[in-house]
Amino acid sequence: MELPDQKIENKSLWMASTDIVSSLIVMAVAAIVAVWSLKMSIPSGWASAPGLVPLMFAGTMFLMGLGLFISALRHKGLASLRTRLTTFSGKHFIQDTQTKRSLWIIVLTAVYMLILTGRLPFEIAGFLFLFSTFAVFWEKGRWLKIIVTAIVIPLFFSLTFRFLFSILLPGDSIFDYFL
Amino acid sequence: MYSFFTAFDPYLMLLCFSGAAMGIIWAALPGLSTTMAMALLVGLTYRMPTEMAIIFILGTFTGSVFGGAISAVLINIPGTPDAVPTQMAGFPLAKQGKGGLVLGMSITASMVGNWVGILLLVTCVDYVLDIALNFASWEVALLALWGISISGTLTAGEAPVKGWISGWMGVLIAMVGREEIHGIERFTFGSQELLLGIPYIPVLIGLFGLTEIIMVLSQPQPYVIPQKIGRIFPPIKEFLKYWKSIIRSSIVGLITGIIPGAGANVATFVSYGLGERFTGKRFSKGSMEGVICSEVANNANIGGALLPSLVLGIPGSATVAAFLAALNLHGIVVGPTIELEQPGIMNFMYGTLIVANIGMYLCAFALIKPSVKLFSLPREVLLPVIALLCVLGSFAQKMSMFDINLMFGFGLLGFCMRKADIPIGPMILGVVLGNMLDQNFRRAMVIFEDENIWRVLIDRPMGTALIIIVLITFISGIWPKKKKKRI
């Protein structure tokens, strides 16, 4: 069993290795933005150049990324990252409950927001999303409760937003076909 | 002819209260902002007589400024960007079962903030406008920079650099689109959708709403907000204990309100930051004082923002711009001649603000219990339902599917940032203030192009003071860490 001090040290090592990766991403993004900013046209001098502020912010962000990288190195981030990479097991990662739940919710929201929304009427897309998320995360097996809730909520939102606030819904509403 | 007492007509008061209730409910829904509420309700008031329209819209305005705090405290998703500091200080307390009291405290703080704003509007119009008019491009740019950097310092705990990185990324995101000085495209990659820039609403909903949904549902046993809320009305003694924070936050709210463009976003973060600095406490672990600092500043900002808008015709924020549009629809022209063209209208608005404040207070207390009941539903039920609202909120502003895709992208980005312990609050502030900072900074650079730098520092004392404050913010963000290491 881990002692509290060990736990804190492990957490700090974990975070230091994460900081190594984040700082590298930050520096890469900052460098790319800085280069693009330099390439922007300068219609009337540097003082009003469109690339001036992005360049300044990208430059200082690069320095902040560098600071984070150095701080992570001091906290043994590189060694910790090496250990994490060598001991990484794809099988264990996938089998972890939290990972599974994260993947489920990301996939379900991606399907709902990027594929179903806009292609199906709002109420149908909403029902499919709610039904599937309730089935995965809520009370498994209580189908009637899940189905009724998944039908009622999108209908309620649709009526409220479409008719009370006169807001168009993504993918239109089934009521548009009937009324 | 309008007058102060017209606002106290029972029918008008009822209309104002219903506006306040609608504003509170609207802003409590994640992603449905105050500005959007105002913009939608402008259409509803078209057929109303002018005084009815004004009282209804101001009621909605006052209610919606507070409403963002409800979802911020109870589900960790701020209804509006201004409610982010309230979320940071209030949500940890709601998890401990103090949701009702936190909301009670924040309603009272909002009411006090509103009173201060009204008092200022009535008493020191000329004096305050003198200060506001000293804020030119240079000072506004520095103020925006301060807002972003202080939010970075506040939200990142022991590694402020992560908060600054987040804020800086927000500014870079705000740079996307056609810039307004020369009309040149920046970082659009030929996309038509990106030409108008990245709107902050999908960013806010993605970073806070979707990220929270993914984070919480990925936990095998998501947290619950206790249904028993206990006491709602805050003990007056406890509230008054924070009198120093109340006064300080009122001043911050007012001053940021009258500076065009700065708005409540800067006010709440600055007030929260100053609160931490003056009290020496960390509010992010849950603090009533943190909630008070944020809510007082947020609401004192209303009076402050209305001041330059009505008297000079310069809207202090996007929300006030929507209010001005509503006035315009009814033939009221704001500006220095407002009192000449519509005698008594300012007095009527003072009265309206008082009624709206009372309405907000009563409606907000009436709505606490149902809100806590609703938001204490099991997360497995509540959060998927909120995902539907996230889609509606992202879509409603521009009726664009692209905004829903943006919201999803920012949701994933927020998830990765939270995993890497990078705070997301500063990013939203960067997105909101980025364009203002960019335009004002470049305008100032053009003005100062041929001037000696020392001359600029001496001639613009307010700007110089802001430079010093920004430097102090950065240095104090790094300093405590070094001190700890030495120990």
Side-chain angles (χ1 to χ4, degrees), chain B residues 42 77 84 101 110 115 145 157 183 200 203 214 221 236 239 248 274 280 289 297 315 387 471 481:
Chain B
V42 167
I77 303 173
V84 174
L101 190 60
S110 301
W115 280 122
L145 181 66
Y200 77 84
V203 180
I214 300 172
Q221 281 182 321
I236 298 295
F239 183 75
R248 189 178 51 245
L274 288 179
E289 198 164 3
L471 287 176
K481 218 179 160 190

Side-chain angles (χ1 to χ4, degrees), chain A residues 78-106:
Chain A
L78 206 58
S80 166
L81 182 66
R82 210 173 290 138
T83 317
R84 270 173 77 179
L85 289 175
T86 47
T87 55
F88 178 78
S89 152
K91 201 178 157 191
H92 281 127
F93 178 74
I94 290 291
Q95 280 173 350
D96 176 53
T97 318
Q98 205 169 326
T99 313
K100 267 191 215 165
R101 290 175 68 98
S102 305
L103 288 175
W104 263 117
I105 188 64
I106 290 172

Side-chain angles (χ1 to χ4, degrees), chain B residues 281-305:
Chain B
K281 293 177 199 159
R282 272 237 165 262
F283 293 157
S284 53
K285 288 184 178 156
S287 160
M288 289 290 181
E289 198 164 3
V291 172
I292 288 173
C293 285
S294 165
E295 286 302 310
V296 169
N298 196 9
N299 287 271
N301 198 272
I302 298 179

Side-chain angles (χ1 to χ4, degrees), chain A residues 19 41 43-44 47-50 53 57 60 64 98 101-102 110 112 114 117 129 137-138 153 165 168-170, chain B residues 26 162 168 182 184 186-187 189 217-219 380-381 384-385 387 391-392 395 401 405 408 438 441-442 445-446:
Chain A
D19 284 352
S41 62
S44 50
S48 68
V53 172
F57 274 77
T60 40
M64 289 173 192
Q98 205 169 326
R101 290 175 68 98
S102 305
Y112 170 54
L114 305 180
T117 302
F129 171 70
F137 295 104
W138 196 23
I153 290 168
F165 295 122
L168 287 178
L169 302 172
Chain B
W26 183 270
K162 287 187 178 180
W168 261 229
H182 300 289
I184 288 171
R186 292 189 294 200
F187 314 117
F189 313 105
L217 287 183
S218 63
Q219 301 295 324
E380 297 88 339
V381 182
V385 173
V391 167
L392 280 172
F395 184 77
M401 289 302 300
N405 299 346
F408 181 77
D438 173 48
F441 181 78
R442 286 191 288 147
M445 286 299 107
V446 172

